[in-house]
C-alpha cells in the first residue's frame, strides 16, 4: 500500500457528462500529480499541484481541470467527456515541492474511467 | 528538451535468461532517474532510483552519463517479473521540476 488513496476505483459514464476523481496523498506529502494512462498513449502527465498551487502542466485538455484543497487532497474534473477520455487515471504524491519528484513518486491504484 | 526513450515495447524472454530493459534520456543538466514497475495495470511502484545504487528484486540499473542511458538489468529472469516497466527522469524544465516517463516496456517471462 503506497498510502495514496484514489476514489472511485471504477467510473462508467456517458459522453458529454462530467465526472470528478478524488485523490488523497500520503500523509505529509505536499505535491500531487495526475497522470492519464491509455492503451494507445501510454502514461501521460496531466498536472501537478504543490501545497494548493498549480506547479506544472502537461498534456491536460481544456475540458479537464484540477485543484488541491487546504487539506491537500486533490480533485480532477473531467467535463464534456468523449469516448477517447476512457483511460486509467493515476494520482501520485511526493514530499518534495519545487524539487518535484526528486525522491520518486508514490502512486495510487487509479480510477478506471469508461466513457460509453 | 527532456525526453525518455524506451525503444522496446515488448521484451520476451524465457525464465532464467538475462534481461536488459533499455532506457535512454535527453537532458541538459544532471538528471535523477528512476525505474517504475506496473503489474497488470495496478499502481506503479517505484523499483529503483539511480542515486540509491541499490538492487531490488535482483534488478540493478547504472546511470551512464556518456551514453545517456539507464538500462535495467537482471541476470536471471523469473516469471513473476512479467510486468510493464517505465523509466522516468526528474529534471527542471520551464522553471519546474517534472517527472517524465518513457513509453514503457512490457517484459514477458515465459516458463
Amino acid at each position: 500500500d503506497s498510502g495514496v488513496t484514489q476514489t472511485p476505483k471504477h467510473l462508467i459514464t456517458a459522453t458529454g457528462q462530467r465526472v470528478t476523481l478524488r485523490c488523497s496523498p500520503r500523509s505529509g506529502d505536499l505535491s500531487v500529480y495526475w497522470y492519464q494512462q491509455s492503451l494507445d498513449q501510454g502514461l501521460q502527465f496531466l498536472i501537478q499541484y504543490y501545497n494548493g498551487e498549480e506547479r506544472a502542466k502537461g498534456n491536460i485538455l481544456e475540458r479537464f481541470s484540477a485543484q488541491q484543497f487546504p487539506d491537500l487532497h486533490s480533485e480532477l474534473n473531467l467535463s464534456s467527456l468523449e469516448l477517447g477520455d476512457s483511460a486509467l487515471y493515476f494520482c501520485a504524491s511526493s514530499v518534495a515541492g519545487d524539487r518535484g519528484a526528486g525522491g520518486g513518486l508514490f502512486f495510487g491504484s487509479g480510477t478506471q474511467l469508461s466513457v460509453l | 528538451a527532456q525526453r525518455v526513450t524506451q525503444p522496446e515495447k515488448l521484451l520476451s524472454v524465457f525464465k532464467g535468461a538475462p534481461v536488459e530493459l533499455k532506457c535512454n534520456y535527453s537532458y541538459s543538466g544532471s538528471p535523477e532517474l528512476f525505474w517504475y514497475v506496473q503489474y497488470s495495470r495496478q499502481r506503479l511502484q517505484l523499483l529503483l532510483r539511480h542515486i540509491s545504487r541499490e538492487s531490488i528484486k535482483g534488478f540493478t540499473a547504472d546511470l551512464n552519463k556518456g551514453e545517456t542511458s539507464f538500462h535495467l538489468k537482471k541476470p536471471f529472469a523469473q516469471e513473476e517479473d512479467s510486468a510493464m516497466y517505465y523509466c522516468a527522469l526528474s529534471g527542471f524544465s520551464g522553471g519546474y521540476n517534472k517527472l517524465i516517463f518513457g513509453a514503457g516496456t512490457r517484459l514477458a517471462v515465459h516458463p
Side-chain angles (χ1 to χ4, degrees), chain A residues 38-59:
Chain A
S38 57
L39 290 175
D40 56 344
Q41 292 289 323
L43 198 62
Q44 299 284 322
F45 168 66
L46 295 179
I47 197 164
Q48 177 204 350
Y49 280 84
Y50 172 69
N51 204 20
E53 294 186 7
E54 183 184 304
R55 271 293 181 261
K57 255 185 177 179
N59 302 322

Side-chain angles (χ1 to χ4, degrees), chain A residues 12-105:
Chain A
I12 302 174
T13 188
T15 54
Q17 295 299 304
R18 172 190 169 92
V19 297
T20 297
L21 313 183
R22 183 188 168 98
C23 170
S24 293
R26 290 189 319 159
S27 177
D29 283 359
L30 300 178
S31 284
V32 169
Y33 304 73
W34 286 97
Y35 287 86
Q36 179 193 56
Q37 186 179 42
S38 57
L39 290 175
D40 56 344
Q41 292 289 323
L43 198 62
Q44 299 284 322
F45 168 66
L46 295 179
I47 197 164
Q48 177 204 350
Y49 280 84
Y50 172 69
N51 204 20
E53 294 186 7
E54 183 184 304
R55 271 293 181 261
K57 255 185 177 179
N59 302 322
I60 188 166
L61 300 172
E62 286 198 10
R63 299 183 286 109
F64 296 179
S65 65
Q67 54 184 329
Q68 186 179 27
F69 295 87
D71 67 353
L72 301 177
H73 92 270
S74 178
E75 293 181 355
L76 179 67
N77 301 296
L78 314 176
S79 61
S80 303
L81 285 167
E82 302 176 357
L83 295 177
D85 298 327
S86 295
L88 193 51
Y89 290 84
F90 285 109
C91 166
S93 74
S94 78
V95 66
D98 285 339
R99 276 297 295 163
L105 299 185

